[in-house]
Amino acid sequence: MRHFLDLHKVPADDLRAILNQAVETKTARAGQGKGACDADAPLTDRVVALVFEKPSTRTRVSFDLGVRQMGGETVVLSGSEMHLGKSESVADTARVLSRFVDMIMIRTFEDATLLEMAEYATVPVINGLTDASHPCQIMADVMTFEEHRGPIAGKTVAWLGDGNNMCASFLHAAGQLGFDLTFGGPEVMDPDPAAVEFARSKGRNVRIERDAAQAVAGADLVVTDTWMSMHDAAEAREKRHALLQPYQVNAALMAQAKPDTLFMHCLPAHRGEEVTDEVMDGPQSVIFDEAENRLHAQKAIMRWCVEG
């Protein structure tokens, strides 16, 4: 049985195989229409539980459609509909769900919830997002980069803003897939030291830059994420905004990177805050390819889980 919990916990060769499978899946579906099913339907007669403690658009739609396109069915559960970690332990919920379904995708807050779910489930568990990491998104991002620019190995990614869960997963990917990463952001929002150390332990160059222009210089890909959580209080939002304003991705900043540098954002974006409309809608932006590729990358991840 295979869980897909974090990129540094999956063998690098397996990550590459998943990415190759995602490309093959996308290519095979070209021209078949949005509702077409995969020819081999690897999830036939299987049910996948999609558990959402956090709101979602892309994760919910892409996983739901992906399961259906692979011949399976979904049960979608929200935190408000479950006893998860409240009147029932995560461990017991994992045991119960494992009696009903063939796979669990969970989008939650604490990493401990994901790890407990995986420890006690007897079916594969997929990390749809935690406060610590977002591996499915980064698989889609790498797939998107390689569609446009070829192999990511040896390239440089510039991360601007908060060294959050997305940044941590990018660092895991850097170590596993062989690219370098520069973080540009305020010191109080530096990325997870363990994720930085992981990438460096694999021989990757991880730089910390306080100057945004220096951070993007020479980058092949510039990535940012929303500055504000939906749970931030107004006072916290003001403080974060002031700290992060120098790291806004705008046309002037992109001009400091290479002419063919790509721009990505996992969405949803607060236009005019972490990134301007000019960049979001500009020729270097591949944000909607990135969003679409969540579907194909996650289908390959689910296939990897069930084939294990």
Side-chain angles (χ1 to χ4, degrees):
M1 184 177 64
R2 291 167 168 169
H3 298 309
F4 190 84
L5 304 181
D6 273 310
L7 299 182
H8 65 306
K9 297 178 180 178
V10 177
D13 288 346
D14 285 17
L15 293 178
R16 177 48 59 189
I18 290 169
L19 288 166
N20 292 343
Q21 177 65 54
V23 173
E24 291 175 11
T25 298
K26 184 175 182 178
T27 301
R29 288 182 56 77
Q32 294 181 11
K34 292 183 175 63
C37 288
D38 291 12
D40 59 344
L43 292 183
T44 297
D45 297 327
R46 298 178 191 250
V47 178
V48 179
L50 306 180
V51 180
F52 293 94
E53 286 200 293
K54 281 191 171 185
S56 170
T57 299
R58 279 148 293 278
T59 300
R60 175 165 180 163
V61 173
S62 57
F63 266 108
D64 198 348
L65 290 179
V67 171
R68 297 183 194 195
Q69 289 174 5
M70 296 170 78
E73 297 183 16
T74 61
V75 176
V76 182
L77 301 164
S78 71
S80 62
E81 296 171 321
M82 303 178 68
H83 301 292
L84 184 66
K86 301 166 189 171
S87 56
E88 181 174 63
S89 69
V90 176
D92 283 352
T93 300
R95 292 180 178 110
V96 169
L97 286 178
S98 296
R99 298 297 181 101
F100 296 132
V101 303
D102 302 284
M103 190 185 306
I104 300 166
M105 188 290 301
I106 181 167
R107 180 180 173 94
T108 187
F109 292 91
E110 295 183 10
D111 199 51
T113 302
L114 169 75
L115 297 178
E116 188 174 349
M117 180 71 73
E119 180 179 357
Y120 291 96
T122 56
V123 297
V125 174
I126 296 174
N127 177 1
L129 175 140
T130 71
D131 290 343
S133 63
H134 198 358
C136 291
Q137 178 66 58
I138 278 32
M139 291 294 281
D141 292 358
V142 171
M143 178 184 176
T144 305
F145 181 88
E146 295 192 336
E147 279 183 334
H148 288 268
R149 295 290 185 265
I152 198 168
K155 304 296 186 181
T156 299
V157 173
W159 176 272
L160 273 296
D162 184 0
N164 60 11
N165 53 353
M166 277 280 294
C167 186
S169 286
F170 252 115
L171 285 162
H172 295 154
Q176 296 287 61
L177 299 172
F179 60 89
D180 298 327
L181 187 140
T182 301
F183 170 78
E187 185 175 0
V188 294
M189 297 181 191
D190 275 354
D192 174 23
V196 172
E197 178 54 32
F198 173 80
R200 287 176 173 166
S201 74
K202 298 292 186 178
R204 305 322 309 166
N205 182 21
V206 178
R207 294 192 301 122
I208 307 294
E209 285 284 353
R210 303 302 172 207
D211 181 87
Q214 289 297 316
V216 304
D220 301 284
L221 170 63
V222 172
V223 192
T224 193
D225 195 3
T226 180
W227 292 347
M228 309 299 171
S229 167
M230 65 189 73
H231 309 290
D232 288 338
E235 183 178 347
R237 292 172 68 89
E238 280 188 30
K239 184 176 180 180
R240 286 177 63 83
H241 193 281
L243 284 169
L244 289 164
Q245 185 60 44
Y247 302 97
Q248 182 190 69
V249 181
N250 50 43
L253 184 62
M254 289 297 291
Q256 303 300 310
K258 298 191 293 188
D260 64 345
T261 298
L262 295 178
F263 170 76
M264 290 188 192
H265 190 305
C266 66
L267 303 178
H270 294 169
R271 289 171 175 257
E273 289 190 6
E274 70 269 15
V275 60
T276 61
D277 286 345
E278 187 176 11
V279 173
M280 287 275 288
D281 301 323
Q284 292 168 283
S285 174
V286 291
I287 57 173
F288 297 114
D289 292 344
E290 182 186 1
E292 178 194 341
N293 283 337
R294 289 288 300 278
L295 171 66
H296 310 298
Q298 288 161 186
K299 286 170 68 176
I301 289 166
M302 288 189 284
R303 182 185 291 268
W304 176 83
C305 287
V306 297
E307 289 180 349

PDB file of all heavy atoms in Angstrom, residues 133-165:
ATOM      1  N   SER A 133       2.406  21.415   4.026  1.00  0.00           N
ATOM      2  CA  SER A 133       2.829  21.057   2.664  1.00  0.00           C
ATOM      3  C   SER A 133       1.641  20.952   1.718  1.00  0.00           C
ATOM      4  O   SER A 133       0.493  20.835   2.145  1.00  0.00           O
ATOM      5  CB  SER A 133       3.608  19.734   2.682  1.00  0.00           C
ATOM      6  OG  SER A 133       2.774  18.678   3.122  1.00  0.00           O
ATOM      7  N   HIS A 134       1.965  20.963   0.413  1.00  0.00           N
ATOM      8  CA  HIS A 134       0.949  20.843  -0.630  1.00  0.00           C
ATOM      9  C   HIS A 134       1.555  20.103  -1.829  1.00  0.00           C
ATOM     10  O   HIS A 134       1.765  20.681  -2.890  1.00  0.00           O
ATOM     11  CB  HIS A 134       0.473  22.237  -1.042  1.00  0.00           C
ATOM     12  CG  HIS A 134      -0.828  22.253  -1.781  1.00  0.00           C
ATOM     13  ND1 HIS A 134      -1.524  21.111  -2.101  1.00  0.00           N
ATOM     14  CD2 HIS A 134      -1.564  23.296  -2.274  1.00  0.00           C
ATOM     15  CE1 HIS A 134      -2.631  21.445  -2.762  1.00  0.00           C
ATOM     16  NE2 HIS A 134      -2.674  22.751  -2.877  1.00  0.00           N
ATOM     17  N   PRO A 135       1.852  18.814  -1.668  1.00  0.00           N
ATOM     18  CA  PRO A 135       2.608  18.099  -2.699  1.00  0.00           C
ATOM     19  C   PRO A 135       1.890  17.929  -4.030  1.00  0.00           C
ATOM     20  O   PRO A 135       2.540  17.939  -5.083  1.00  0.00           O
ATOM     21  CB  PRO A 135       2.884  16.739  -2.044  1.00  0.00           C
ATOM     22  CG  PRO A 135       1.811  16.583  -1.014  1.00  0.00           C
ATOM     23  CD  PRO A 135       1.556  17.963  -0.498  1.00  0.00           C
ATOM     24  N   CYS A 136       0.571  17.757  -4.029  1.00  0.00           N
ATOM     25  CA  CYS A 136      -0.147  17.572  -5.291  1.00  0.00           C
ATOM     26  C   CYS A 136      -0.020  18.809  -6.178  1.00  0.00           C
ATOM     27  O   CYS A 136       0.133  18.711  -7.405  1.00  0.00           O
ATOM     28  CB  CYS A 136      -1.615  17.263  -5.028  1.00  0.00           C
ATOM     29  SG  CYS A 136      -1.908  15.646  -4.292  1.00  0.00           S
ATOM     30  N   GLN A 137      -0.081  19.990  -5.560  1.00  0.00           N
ATOM     31  CA  GLN A 137       0.049  21.226  -6.322  1.00  0.00           C
ATOM     32  C   GLN A 137       1.419  21.321  -6.978  1.00  0.00           C
ATOM     33  O   GLN A 137       1.546  21.710  -8.148  1.00  0.00           O
ATOM     34  CB  GLN A 137      -0.171  22.431  -5.411  1.00  0.00           C
ATOM     35  CG  GLN A 137      -0.016  23.774  -6.116  1.00  0.00           C
ATOM     36  CD  GLN A 137      -1.085  24.025  -7.156  1.00  0.00           C
ATOM     37  OE1 GLN A 137      -2.260  24.016  -6.844  1.00  0.00           O
ATOM     38  NE2 GLN A 137      -0.685  24.240  -8.412  1.00  0.00           N
ATOM     39  N   ILE A 138       2.469  20.963  -6.255  1.00  0.00           N
ATOM     40  CA  ILE A 138       3.807  21.096  -6.801  1.00  0.00           C
ATOM     41  C   ILE A 138       4.034  20.100  -7.925  1.00  0.00           C
ATOM     42  O   ILE A 138       4.740  20.401  -8.891  1.00  0.00           O
ATOM     43  CB  ILE A 138       4.869  20.950  -5.687  1.00  0.00           C
ATOM     44  CG1 ILE A 138       5.083  22.249  -4.907  1.00  0.00           C
ATOM     45  CG2 ILE A 138       6.229  20.649  -6.294  1.00  0.00           C
ATOM     46  CD1 ILE A 138       4.026  23.184  -4.703  1.00  0.00           C
ATOM     47  N   MET A 139       3.427  18.924  -7.863  1.00  0.00           N
ATOM     48  CA  MET A 139       3.524  17.984  -8.985  1.00  0.00           C
ATOM     49  C   MET A 139       2.904  18.586 -10.239  1.00  0.00           C
ATOM     50  O   MET A 139       3.454  18.468 -11.345  1.00  0.00           O
ATOM     51  CB  MET A 139       2.846  16.663  -8.626  1.00  0.00           C
ATOM     52  CG  MET A 139       3.577  15.862  -7.556  1.00  0.00           C
ATOM     53  SD  MET A 139       5.189  15.267  -8.089  1.00  0.00           S
ATOM     54  CE  MET A 139       4.705  13.842  -9.072  1.00  0.00           C
ATOM     55  N   ALA A 140       1.783  19.273 -10.078  1.00  0.00           N
ATOM     56  CA  ALA A 140       1.162  19.950 -11.223  1.00  0.00           C
ATOM     57  C   ALA A 140       2.039  21.089 -11.719  1.00  0.00           C
ATOM     58  O   ALA A 140       2.138  21.336 -12.931  1.00  0.00           O
ATOM     59  CB  ALA A 140      -0.214  20.470 -10.834  1.00  0.00           C
ATOM     60  N   ASP A 141       2.692  21.796 -10.795  1.00  0.00           N
ATOM     61  CA  ASP A 141       3.558  22.908 -11.182  1.00  0.00           C
ATOM     62  C   ASP A 141       4.757  22.425 -11.984  1.00  0.00           C
ATOM     63  O   ASP A 141       5.134  23.030 -12.999  1.00  0.00           O
ATOM     64  CB  ASP A 141       4.026  23.662  -9.939  1.00  0.00           C
ATOM     65  CG  ASP A 141       2.909  24.408  -9.234  1.00  0.00           C
ATOM     66  OD1 ASP A 141       1.761  24.375  -9.736  1.00  0.00           O
ATOM     67  OD2 ASP A 141       3.166  25.013  -8.179  1.00  0.00           O
ATOM     68  N   VAL A 142       5.385  21.356 -11.515  1.00  0.00           N
ATOM     69  CA  VAL A 142       6.537  20.814 -12.243  1.00  0.00           C
ATOM     70  C   VAL A 142       6.099  20.318 -13.620  1.00  0.00           C
ATOM     71  O   VAL A 142       6.774  20.571 -14.635  1.00  0.00           O
ATOM     72  CB  VAL A 142       7.197  19.670 -11.443  1.00  0.00           C
ATOM     73  CG1 VAL A 142       8.258  18.963 -12.288  1.00  0.00           C
ATOM     74  CG2 VAL A 142       7.818  20.217 -10.164  1.00  0.00           C
ATOM     75  N   MET A 143       4.964  19.643 -13.683  1.00  0.00           N
ATOM     76  CA  MET A 143       4.434  19.195 -14.963  1.00  0.00           C
ATOM     77  C   MET A 143       4.236  20.370 -15.911  1.00  0.00           C
ATOM     78  O   MET A 143       4.595  20.313 -17.100  1.00  0.00           O
ATOM     79  CB  MET A 143       3.104  18.462 -14.745  1.00  0.00           C
ATOM     80  CG  MET A 143       2.429  17.984 -16.008  1.00  0.00           C
ATOM     81  SD  MET A 143       0.815  17.226 -15.651  1.00  0.00           S
ATOM     82  CE  MET A 143       0.241  16.898 -17.322  1.00  0.00           C
ATOM     83  N   THR A 144       3.686  21.455 -15.394  1.00  0.00           N
ATOM     84  CA  THR A 144       3.424  22.636 -16.221  1.00  0.00           C
ATOM     85  C   THR A 144       4.718  23.261 -16.715  1.00  0.00           C
ATOM     86  O   THR A 144       4.839  23.629 -17.896  1.00  0.00           O
ATOM     87  CB  THR A 144       2.613  23.668 -15.421  1.00  0.00           C
ATOM     88  OG1 THR A 144       1.430  23.054 -14.927  1.00  0.00           O
ATOM     89  CG2 THR A 144       2.247  24.863 -16.285  1.00  0.00           C
ATOM     90  N   PHE A 145       5.688  23.400 -15.819  1.00  0.00           N
ATOM     91  CA  PHE A 145       6.974  23.960 -16.238  1.00  0.00           C
ATOM     92  C   PHE A 145       7.574  23.138 -17.367  1.00  0.00           C
ATOM     93  O   PHE A 145       8.041  23.684 -18.376  1.00  0.00           O
ATOM     94  CB  PHE A 145       7.949  24.031 -15.059  1.00  0.00           C
ATOM     95  CG  PHE A 145       9.278  24.619 -15.443  1.00  0.00           C
ATOM     96  CD1 PHE A 145       9.481  25.989 -15.390  1.00  0.00           C
ATOM     97  CD2 PHE A 145      10.313  23.808 -15.897  1.00  0.00           C
ATOM     98  CE1 PHE A 145      10.697  26.546 -15.780  1.00  0.00           C
ATOM     99  CE2 PHE A 145      11.523  24.353 -16.286  1.00  0.00           C
ATOM    100  CZ  PHE A 145      11.722  25.726 -16.225  1.00  0.00           C
ATOM    101  N   GLU A 146       7.567  21.829 -17.216  1.00  0.00           N
ATOM    102  CA  GLU A 146       8.212  20.973 -18.213  1.00  0.00           C
ATOM    103  C   GLU A 146       7.457  20.959 -19.529  1.00  0.00           C
ATOM    104  O   GLU A 146       8.080  20.770 -20.592  1.00  0.00           O
ATOM    105  CB  GLU A 146       8.382  19.563 -17.640  1.00  0.00           C
ATOM    106  CG  GLU A 146       9.347  19.553 -16.447  1.00  0.00           C
ATOM    107  CD  GLU A 146       9.776  18.179 -16.007  1.00  0.00           C
ATOM    108  OE1 GLU A 146       9.039  17.197 -16.266  1.00  0.00           O
ATOM    109  OE2 GLU A 146      10.865  18.073 -15.407  1.00  0.00           O
ATOM    110  N   GLU A 147       6.155  21.180 -19.502  1.00  0.00           N
ATOM    111  CA  GLU A 147       5.405  21.334 -20.756  1.00  0.00           C
ATOM    112  C   GLU A 147       5.904  22.529 -21.553  1.00  0.00           C
ATOM    113  O   GLU A 147       5.965  22.498 -22.779  1.00  0.00           O
ATOM    114  CB  GLU A 147       3.919  21.543 -20.454  1.00  0.00           C
ATOM    115  CG  GLU A 147       3.144  20.285 -20.153  1.00  0.00           C
ATOM    116  CD  GLU A 147       1.667  20.564 -19.937  1.00  0.00           C
ATOM    117  OE1 GLU A 147       1.312  21.690 -19.542  1.00  0.00           O
ATOM    118  OE2 GLU A 147       0.860  19.657 -20.166  1.00  0.00           O
ATOM    119  N   HIS A 148       6.243  23.594 -20.852  1.00  0.00           N
ATOM    120  CA  HIS A 148       6.616  24.847 -21.517  1.00  0.00           C
ATOM    121  C   HIS A 148       8.115  25.002 -21.742  1.00  0.00           C
ATOM    122  O   HIS A 148       8.536  25.650 -22.701  1.00  0.00           O
ATOM    123  CB  HIS A 148       6.117  26.035 -20.694  1.00  0.00           C
ATOM    124  CG  HIS A 148       4.645  26.225 -20.746  1.00  0.00           C
ATOM    125  ND1 HIS A 148       4.022  27.051 -21.669  1.00  0.00           N
ATOM    126  CD2 HIS A 148       3.642  25.693 -19.989  1.00  0.00           C
ATOM    127  CE1 HIS A 148       2.711  27.023 -21.479  1.00  0.00           C
ATOM    128  NE2 HIS A 148       2.460  26.208 -20.464  1.00  0.00           N
ATOM    129  N   ARG A 149       8.947  24.428 -20.846  1.00  0.00           N
ATOM    130  CA  ARG A 149      10.378  24.718 -20.899  1.00  0.00           C
ATOM    131  C   ARG A 149      11.264  23.473 -20.870  1.00  0.00           C
ATOM    132  O   ARG A 149      12.482  23.595 -20.812  1.00  0.00           O
ATOM    133  CB  ARG A 149      10.773  25.627 -19.732  1.00  0.00           C
ATOM    134  CG  ARG A 149      10.141  27.015 -19.765  1.00  0.00           C
ATOM    135  CD  ARG A 149      10.724  27.859 -20.893  1.00  0.00           C
ATOM    136  NE  ARG A 149      10.215  29.213 -20.868  1.00  0.00           N
ATOM    137  CZ  ARG A 149       9.172  29.647 -21.586  1.00  0.00           C
ATOM    138  NH1 ARG A 149       8.529  28.789 -22.384  1.00  0.00           N
ATOM    139  NH2 ARG A 149       8.771  30.890 -21.515  1.00  0.00           N
ATOM    140  N   GLY A 150      10.696  22.279 -20.889  1.00  0.00           N
ATOM    141  CA  GLY A 150      11.527  21.089 -20.833  1.00  0.00           C
ATOM    142  C   GLY A 150      11.904  20.725 -19.408  1.00  0.00           C
ATOM    143  O   GLY A 150      11.349  21.273 -18.453  1.00  0.00           O
ATOM    144  N   PRO A 151      12.849  19.796 -19.243  1.00  0.00           N
ATOM    145  CA  PRO A 151      13.186  19.279 -17.917  1.00  0.00           C
ATOM    146  C   PRO A 151      13.502  20.379 -16.911  1.00  0.00           C
ATOM    147  O   PRO A 151      14.212  21.340 -17.219  1.00  0.00           O
ATOM    148  CB  PRO A 151      14.420  18.409 -18.184  1.00  0.00           C
ATOM    149  CG  PRO A 151      14.283  17.998 -19.615  1.00  0.00           C
ATOM    150  CD  PRO A 151      13.657  19.159 -20.317  1.00  0.00           C
ATOM    151  N   ILE A 152      13.005  20.200 -15.708  1.00  0.00           N
ATOM    152  CA  ILE A 152      13.220  21.198 -14.654  1.00  0.00           C
ATOM    153  C   ILE A 152      14.573  21.008 -13.969  1.00  0.00           C
ATOM    154  O   ILE A 152      15.064  21.927 -13.310  1.00  0.00           O
ATOM    155  CB  ILE A 152      12.075  21.157 -13.623  1.00  0.00           C
ATOM    156  CG1 ILE A 152      12.041  22.456 -12.794  1.00  0.00           C
ATOM    157  CG2 ILE A 152      12.181  19.919 -12.734  1.00  0.00           C
ATOM    158  CD1 ILE A 152      10.796  22.639 -11.960  1.00  0.00           C
ATOM    159  N   ALA A 153      15.171  19.846 -14.140  1.00  0.00           N
ATOM    160  CA  ALA A 153      16.475  19.580 -13.519  1.00  0.00           C
ATOM    161  C   ALA A 153      17.490  20.620 -13.980  1.00  0.00           C
ATOM    162  O   ALA A 153      17.601  20.925 -15.177  1.00  0.00           O
ATOM    163  CB  ALA A 153      16.959  18.179 -13.878  1.00  0.00           C
ATOM    164  N   GLY A 154      18.210  21.191 -13.028  1.00  0.00           N
ATOM    165  CA  GLY A 154      19.218  22.189 -13.338  1.00  0.00           C
ATOM    166  C   GLY A 154      18.701  23.609 -13.455  1.00  0.00           C
ATOM    167  O   GLY A 154      19.481  24.552 -13.622  1.00  0.00           O
ATOM    168  N   LYS A 155      17.382  23.795 -13.351  1.00  0.00           N
ATOM    169  CA  LYS A 155      16.786  25.128 -13.443  1.00  0.00           C
ATOM    170  C   LYS A 155      16.737  25.779 -12.058  1.00  0.00           C
ATOM    171  O   LYS A 155      17.060  25.159 -11.046  1.00  0.00           O
ATOM    172  CB  LYS A 155      15.377  25.046 -14.027  1.00  0.00           C
ATOM    173  CG  LYS A 155      15.297  24.366 -15.392  1.00  0.00           C
ATOM    174  CD  LYS A 155      16.054  25.138 -16.458  1.00  0.00           C
ATOM    175  CE  LYS A 155      15.826  24.501 -17.838  1.00  0.00           C
ATOM    176  NZ  LYS A 155      16.574  25.217 -18.895  1.00  0.00           N
ATOM    177  N   THR A 156      16.284  27.030 -12.033  1.00  0.00           N
ATOM    178  CA  THR A 156      16.171  27.765 -10.771  1.00  0.00           C
ATOM    179  C   THR A 156      14.769  28.314 -10.612  1.00  0.00           C
ATOM    180  O   THR A 156      14.236  28.962 -11.516  1.00  0.00           O
ATOM    181  CB  THR A 156      17.173  28.935 -10.718  1.00  0.00           C
ATOM    182  OG1 THR A 156      18.505  28.410 -10.809  1.00  0.00           O
ATOM    183  CG2 THR A 156      17.037  29.708  -9.410  1.00  0.00           C
ATOM    184  N   VAL A 157      14.172  28.041  -9.469  1.00  0.00           N
ATOM    185  CA  VAL A 157      12.847  28.553  -9.107  1.00  0.00           C
ATOM    186  C   VAL A 157      13.034  29.660  -8.081  1.00  0.00           C
ATOM    187  O   VAL A 157      13.784  29.498  -7.113  1.00  0.00           O
ATOM    188  CB  VAL A 157      11.954  27.443  -8.526  1.00  0.00           C
ATOM    189  CG1 VAL A 157      10.644  28.018  -7.995  1.00  0.00           C
ATOM    190  CG2 VAL A 157      11.689  26.364  -9.568  1.00  0.00           C
ATOM    191  N   ALA A 158      12.363  30.786  -8.275  1.00  0.00           N
ATOM    192  CA  ALA A 158      12.349  31.870  -7.285  1.00  0.00           C
ATOM    193  C   ALA A 158      10.988  31.893  -6.613  1.00  0.00           C
ATOM    194  O   ALA A 158       9.961  32.028  -7.296  1.00  0.00           O
ATOM    195  CB  ALA A 158      12.633  33.211  -7.951  1.00  0.00           C
ATOM    196  N   TRP A 159      11.009  31.735  -5.295  1.00  0.00           N
ATOM    197  CA  TRP A 159       9.765  31.804  -4.517  1.00  0.00           C
ATOM    198  C   TRP A 159       9.703  33.161  -3.834  1.00  0.00           C
ATOM    199  O   TRP A 159      10.606  33.536  -3.098  1.00  0.00           O
ATOM    200  CB  TRP A 159       9.714  30.687  -3.475  1.00  0.00           C
ATOM    201  CG  TRP A 159       8.496  30.810  -2.619  1.00  0.00           C
ATOM    202  CD1 TRP A 159       8.356  31.523  -1.471  1.00  0.00           C
ATOM    203  CD2 TRP A 159       7.206  30.253  -2.892  1.00  0.00           C
ATOM    204  NE1 TRP A 159       7.062  31.449  -0.999  1.00  0.00           N
ATOM    205  CE2 TRP A 159       6.342  30.676  -1.864  1.00  0.00           C
ATOM    206  CE3 TRP A 159       6.711  29.431  -3.909  1.00  0.00           C
ATOM    207  CZ2 TRP A 159       5.000  30.293  -1.812  1.00  0.00           C
ATOM    208  CZ3 TRP A 159       5.382  29.063  -3.866  1.00  0.00           C
ATOM    209  CH2 TRP A 159       4.550  29.491  -2.837  1.00  0.00           C
ATOM    210  N   LEU A 160       8.620  33.912  -4.053  1.00  0.00           N
ATOM    211  CA  LEU A 160       8.458  35.256  -3.487  1.00  0.00           C
ATOM    212  C   LEU A 160       7.342  35.279  -2.459  1.00  0.00           C
ATOM    213  O   LEU A 160       6.242  34.773  -2.720  1.00  0.00           O
ATOM    214  CB  LEU A 160       8.137  36.271  -4.598  1.00  0.00           C
ATOM    215  CG  LEU A 160       9.306  36.937  -5.335  1.00  0.00           C
ATOM    216  CD1 LEU A 160      10.122  37.796  -4.403  1.00  0.00           C
ATOM    217  CD2 LEU A 160      10.184  35.890  -6.012  1.00  0.00           C
ATOM    218  N   GLY A 161       7.624  35.868  -1.283  1.00  0.00           N
ATOM    219  CA  GLY A 161       6.575  36.090  -0.288  1.00  0.00           C
ATOM    220  C   GLY A 161       6.778  35.304   0.981  1.00  0.00           C
ATOM    221  O   GLY A 161       7.834  35.361   1.609  1.00  0.00           O
ATOM    222  N   ASP A 162       5.757  34.557   1.363  1.00  0.00           N
ATOM    223  CA  ASP A 162       5.732  33.802   2.616  1.00  0.00           C
ATOM    224  C   ASP A 162       6.288  32.404   2.361  1.00  0.00           C
ATOM    225  O   ASP A 162       5.839  31.707   1.446  1.00  0.00           O
ATOM    226  CB  ASP A 162       4.282  33.743   3.110  1.00  0.00           C
ATOM    227  CG  ASP A 162       4.131  33.057   4.452  1.00  0.00           C
ATOM    228  OD1 ASP A 162       5.148  32.622   5.025  1.00  0.00           O
ATOM    229  OD2 ASP A 162       2.991  32.949   4.931  1.00  0.00           O
ATOM    230  N   GLY A 163       7.239  31.970   3.203  1.00  0.00           N
ATOM    231  CA  GLY A 163       7.780  30.621   3.065  1.00  0.00           C
ATOM    232  C   GLY A 163       6.833  29.583   3.643  1.00  0.00           C
ATOM    233  O   GLY A 163       7.152  28.895   4.617  1.00  0.00           O
ATOM    234  N   ASN A 164       5.701  29.419   3.027  1.00  0.00           N
ATOM    235  CA  ASN A 164       4.592  28.630   3.578  1.00  0.00           C
ATOM    236  C   ASN A 164       4.641  27.160   3.154  1.00  0.00           C
ATOM    237  O   ASN A 164       5.689  26.642   2.767  1.00  0.00           O
ATOM    238  CB  ASN A 164       3.259  29.286   3.177  1.00  0.00           C
ATOM    239  CG  ASN A 164       3.086  29.353   1.664  1.00  0.00           C
ATOM    240  OD1 ASN A 164       3.842  28.733   0.904  1.00  0.00           O
ATOM    241  ND2 ASN A 164       2.097  30.105   1.213  1.00  0.00           N
ATOM    242  N   ASN A 165       3.485  26.503   3.221  1.00  0.00           N
ATOM    243  CA  ASN A 165       3.410  25.086   2.874  1.00  0.00           C
ATOM    244  C   ASN A 165       3.784  24.819   1.418  1.00  0.00           C
ATOM    245  O   ASN A 165       4.439  23.824   1.099  1.00  0.00           O
ATOM    246  CB  ASN A 165       2.016  24.523   3.185  1.00  0.00           C
ATOM    247  CG  ASN A 165       0.892  25.317   2.551  1.00  0.00           C
ATOM    248  OD1 ASN A 165       1.084  26.374   1.965  1.00  0.00           O
ATOM    249  ND2 ASN A 165      -0.338  24.807   2.697  1.00  0.00           N
TER     250      ASN A 165
END
